[in-house]
Amino acid sequence: MDGTVKAAARRYHAPRRAAAAAQTREAILHAAKDQFEAHGWAATTIAAIATEAAVSPKTIQALFGTKAALLAAAVDYAIAGDVAEVPVIARQSARSVESAPDAATMLDRHAGHVVAINTRSAGLAQVVESAAGRSQLVAGLWEQMTANRRFGARWAATTLLTKPGTRPGLTPEQAERDFVIAMDWGTHRTLTAELGLTPGQVRDWIRNYYQHMFERPDAEGGQPR
């Protein structure tokens, strides 16, 4: 009897503990993103992140171990937008891209998908890229981020080439290359920081770029916007 009651109590309280742990983790990652973007890799300290997140430095060390591991986790958080352990390609936004009935719809959805991710992560990506030449640990993270971006471009190219309305003669290699340009964090920073475009305007720019690069000229909606 006692064992049953205790087990039930553990089951009752576990969701609360899990929710609290997730909130703590998200607070730390949000603070880490802020601090890294504001101060860069070298100048950011665990103590400063702990202060912003209202936790102790020991809590951060217990959860993430090292500053490099925390940076990597912050990158994942920025790209995903939350702390759920679900790969980007398995999320609803990506599934919506895959399920599009034609090239025009797929590209429209993909433009929104890219802008949402890059709006959250372009600043942190710049921190990682800038520090990669000074830290071997950060260099490894930048290499992985670059590989992940290429994977995403390859996935988009493969998906596009299954859709009606795609430009004739478009090869997987050409499509992947052109997606890489649109998805690049540097492209996003140029459009926003240098040219002053809003996220909505960036989305329109990417959508227009996609139209010219990928869509069949005589497809419905395929004329220049």
Side-chain angles (χ1 to χ4, degrees):
M1 178 69 71
D2 287 346
T4 301
V5 172
K6 289 178 181 177
R10 284 195 295 271
R11 287 194 296 271
Y12 178 77
H13 290 295
R16 293 183 179 179
R17 289 198 298 271
Q23 289 176 352
T24 298
R25 184 178 180 85
E26 185 158 13
I28 292 169
L29 292 173
H30 185 81
K33 180 178 182 295
D34 284 350
Q35 290 291 320
F36 282 124
E37 288 179 345
H39 305 293
W41 160 253
T44 296
T45 65
I46 295 295
I49 294 169
T51 298
E52 182 175 336
V55 301
S56 72
K58 288 185 178 180
T59 297
I60 294 179
Q61 290 165 354
L63 287 174
F64 299 99
T66 66
K67 190 169 83 166
L70 177 56
L71 176 60
V75 168
D76 288 343
Y77 168 70
I79 290 172
D82 57 46
V83 295
E85 295 184 359
V86 180
V88 171
I89 200 170
R91 290 171 177 261
Q92 179 56 39
S93 178
R95 292 306 182 207
S96 177
V97 171
E98 290 182 327
S99 65
D102 52 48
T105 305
M106 180 257 170
L107 293 168
D108 191 62
R109 293 176 182 178
H110 191 264
H113 175 74
V114 168
V115 171
I117 290 174
N118 284 355
T119 298
R120 294 189 301 262
S121 63
L124 200 54
Q126 186 174 24
V127 172
V128 177
E129 183 178 12
S130 298
R134 302 190 298 273
S135 167
Q136 190 171 12
L137 291 173
V138 180
L141 174 58
W142 179 244
E143 183 177 345
Q144 183 60 56
M145 291 169 65
T146 301
N148 289 346
R149 187 186 62 198
R150 292 302 299 263
F151 173 84
R154 196 171 304 118
W155 163 78
T158 300
T159 302
L160 173 65
L161 291 172
T162 68
K163 306 297 182 182
T166 302
R167 176 166 60 82
L170 182 67
T171 68
E173 294 77 17
Q174 289 171 330
E176 180 181 338
R177 175 200 63 199
D178 294 336
F179 274 118
V180 165
I181 294 170
M183 295 167 62
D184 184 65
W185 290 291
T187 300
H188 183 88
R189 290 194 298 268
T190 297
L191 293 172
T192 55
E194 184 174 337
L195 300 182
L197 272 60
T198 66
Q201 290 171 326
V202 173
R203 184 190 180 284
D204 290 343
W205 185 92
I206 292 176
R207 184 62 188 88
N208 193 52
Y209 168 79
Y210 283 172
Q211 184 176 22
H212 285 283
M213 302 306 293
F214 298 135
E215 288 186 48
R216 192 179 70 228
D218 60 342
E220 183 177 354
Q223 297 304 313
R225 295 171 187 261

